[in-house]
Amino acid sequence: SAPHTLPALAGTVRAENRGVIGSKIAAARDGDTIVIGPGVYREHLRIDKSIKLIGTGRPIIDGAGNGDIVEITAPHVELSGFTIRDTGIDIDKENAAIRVLASHARIEDNILEDILFGIDLREAPDCIVRGNSIGGKALDIARRGDGLRLWRSDRALVEGNTIHDGRDAILWYSKDVIVRGNSSLRCRYGFHLMYSDSVILQDNELSANSVGIY
C-alpha cells in the first residue's frame, strides 16, 4: 500500500561550498532572473529564493555521482534550459536531479541524464513540469528511481515530457492533476496513480514499458 509519509530527506543539498551558480543564487533577491551561459558546472544547488534560473546554450549541472543535484525550497521558482546529470545512486536516500519542496515551481525544457530519481515534487502544489527529457541510470529496473514523482502535490500540470529508462512516473495523494502529451519509454510503470483523484490523462504515448497506466 502507499505510504502516508515519505522517508525523511537524508541527502538534501547543503548550501556551503558554492560554485558559480550557487554564488549567484546567494546574491539574488526574490523576483530576480539569473541567466547562466554554456559550460559545465559541478555544483549542487539549493534554490531558496523566488527566482528564475534560466540556462542559455544548454549549460550542464553535473552532480559528479553524489547526492541530489537541485533542491527547490522557495515558492515561485522557474528552472529551465539546463542539462542536469549524474546524481548519486543511493536508493534509500532517493537521490534526485530536481527535488521541489515548495509551491508554484515551473520546471521546463531541461534534459536530465544519468539520474536516479528525476523530478520529485513533495507537498508542492500548483507546479508546472513541461517539456523535460528525463533519462535514468543504467541499472536493473528494480534499482532505478522514479523519473517523475508527485506526492501531495495538487493541481500540477505535467505536459510534453519524455520519461525513459526509469522505474515509474507516480502520483501519490495528488488531486486535480493534468498529465498531457507525455511519452514514457522502457520504464516499469508508464503512469502509476495511488490515492490521486480527479486526474486527467490525455494524449500520452506509452511504449515498451512493463505496465502502461495503472
Side-chain angles (χ1 to χ4, degrees), residues 156-174:
L157 172 62
V158 179
E159 182 175 49
N161 303 283
T162 297
I163 305 168
H164 65 91
D165 300 294
R167 187 172 63 183
D168 302 347
I170 189 162
L171 282 65
W172 275 346
Y173 301 101
S174 299

Side-chain angles (χ1 to χ4, degrees), residues 21 24-28 32-36 51-55 82:
I21 304 176
K24 289 180 180 292
I25 293 170
D32 283 356
T33 297
I34 299 172
V35 179
I36 303 297
I51 60 173
K52 295 181 179 179
L53 185 62
I54 310 298
F82 290 89

